[in-house]
């Protein structure tokens, strides 16, 4: 919408374009786009009101209305009803799907799963609703405290014990290989951008991409074994 606004200004109120700030890069996250759009509307506020172009004014008003609510966090593509916004970190966002990999020691992909970003959110919310201390918890500034009590099931207890073991800690040191493989799939094989829409299409793309990456890795291993 901010891109559309800039286009309309270039076409019908060019003088206002002199106030444009540097736009975010193509790799910018949602938070950066929101900050840029808010700054753009702020610097153009008086000019848009005085320009007399109803299309520009209506578009600016629509953007303001969107930014004034949390709706922007829930927006999905008009074409892809499965894709969603998620968080890489508390301050950065991404749009699409989550993929999960399992790899062998030789860095060959042995297992793949593609899931919706918000798949785990209902489970977390349901667990929070059942907490017996829910009424005593408070987020943000306040005089009350928040409590966190871990009640592991037998299955989870075994997992926690394994994660505390020396064997697991040694394996954890090579966890970075998964992230490196994810980076390869996105940067070298185009997985950072969906070829089609929907979860099923993303799964198919993921499988073919992993197959291509495995062939490349096998070829390299054969060459090394020489």
């Amino acid at each position: 919408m901010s891109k559309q606004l800039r286009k309309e200004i270039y076409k019908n109120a060019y003088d206002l374009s002199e106030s444009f700030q540097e736009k975010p890069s193509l790799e910018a996250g949602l938070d950066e786009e929101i900050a840029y759009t808010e700054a753009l509307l702020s610097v153009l506020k008086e000019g848009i009101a005085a320009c007399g172009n109803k299309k520009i004014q209506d578009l600016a008003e629509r953007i303001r209305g969107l930014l004034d609510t949390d709706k922007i966090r829930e927006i999905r593509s008009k074409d892809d009803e499965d894709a969603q916004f998620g968080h890489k970190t508390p301050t950065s966002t991404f749009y699409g799907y989550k993929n999960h990999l399992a790899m062998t020691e030789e860095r060959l992909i042995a297992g793949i799963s593609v899931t919706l970003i918000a798949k785990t959110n209902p489970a977390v919310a349901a667990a929070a609703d059942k907490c017996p201390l829910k009424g005593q918890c408070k987020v943000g500034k306040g005089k009350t405290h928040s409590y966190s009590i871990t009640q592991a099931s037998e299955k989870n207890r075994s997992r926690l014990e394994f994660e505390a073991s020396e064997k697991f800690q040694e394996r954890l040191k090579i966890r970075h290989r998964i992230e490196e493989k994810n980076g390869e799939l996105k940067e070298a094989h185009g997985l950072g951008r969906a070829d089609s829409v929907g979860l099923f299409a993303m799964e198919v793309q993921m499988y073919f991409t992993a197959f291509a990456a495995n062939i490349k890795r096998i070829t390299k291993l054969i060459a090394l074994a020489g």
Side-chain angles (χ1 to χ4, degrees):
M1 290 176 76
S2 63
K3 181 178 180 181
Q4 185 181 350
L5 179 63
R6 292 196 304 271
K7 283 185 175 181
E8 289 299 326
I9 288 175
Y10 277 128
K11 287 195 303 182
N12 302 303
Y14 186 80
D15 289 346
L16 293 181
S17 67
E18 295 179 357
S19 300
F20 286 174
Q21 300 151 306
E22 184 177 353
K23 60 187 178 183
S25 67
L26 294 175
E27 293 79 25
L30 177 63
D31 293 327
E32 292 175 79
E33 283 287 351
I34 291 174
Y36 166 78
T37 305
E38 288 176 337
L40 182 68
L41 289 179
S42 177
V43 76
L44 295 176
K45 184 176 181 180
E46 294 182 4
I48 290 176
C51 74
N53 186 291
K54 192 170 187 330
K55 189 171 184 179
I56 291 176
Q57 292 169 344
D58 287 348
L59 181 55
E61 191 58 36
R62 283 174 55 205
I63 298 173
R64 286 192 195 97
L66 184 59
L67 292 175
D68 286 342
T69 69
D70 290 331
K71 185 180 178 182
I72 195 167
R73 302 288 175 181
E74 303 168 3
I75 287 179
R76 299 183 180 190
S77 166
K78 64 183 177 64
D79 299 314
D80 194 341
E81 296 182 357
D82 293 333
Q84 298 166 333
F85 282 111
H87 286 272
K88 291 183 179 178
T89 69
T91 58
S92 66
T93 58
F94 69 97
Y95 180 71
Y97 302 88
K98 281 283 285 185
N99 69 65
H100 313 270
L101 301 178
M103 291 198 318
T104 67
E105 290 283 350
E106 296 77 20
R107 303 196 185 196
L108 293 171
I109 299 173
I112 298 171
S113 175
V114 182
T115 60
L116 300 177
I117 291 169
K119 185 176 180 181
T120 57
N121 289 351
V124 174
D129 285 338
K130 294 178 181 179
C131 176
L133 299 175
K134 180 182 177 182
Q136 301 177 42
C137 298
K138 185 175 179 62
V139 178
K141 295 181 179 180
K143 296 181 179 180
T144 58
H145 299 277
S146 295
Y147 298 91
S148 177
I149 299 175
T150 301
Q151 294 179 316
S153 64
E154 185 60 39
K155 182 179 180 180
N156 282 337
R157 195 174 297 115
S158 299
R159 177 182 61 81
L160 291 171
E161 290 173 359
F162 173 64
E163 289 180 359
S165 68
E166 185 176 340
K167 180 180 179 181
F168 178 83
Q169 294 303 316
E170 285 298 314
R171 301 292 295 173
L172 194 60
K173 292 178 182 178
I174 60 173
R175 171 66 177 78
H176 63 90
R177 294 179 184 177
I178 293 287
E179 299 305 325
E180 290 168 359
K181 182 63 69 172
N182 267 320
E184 177 191 342
L185 295 176
K186 292 176 182 177
E187 300 299 326
H189 297 282
L191 195 64
R193 185 177 181 87
D195 290 337
S196 189
V197 298
L199 179 61
F200 176 74
M202 191 70 245
E203 289 175 333
V204 172
Q205 182 179 345
M206 180 66 185
Y207 293 139
F208 278 108
T209 303
F211 178 77
N214 276 351
I215 292 296
K216 186 173 79 171
R217 181 62 181 166
I218 290 170
T219 302
K220 184 174 182 179
L221 290 172
I222 292 174
L224 290 173

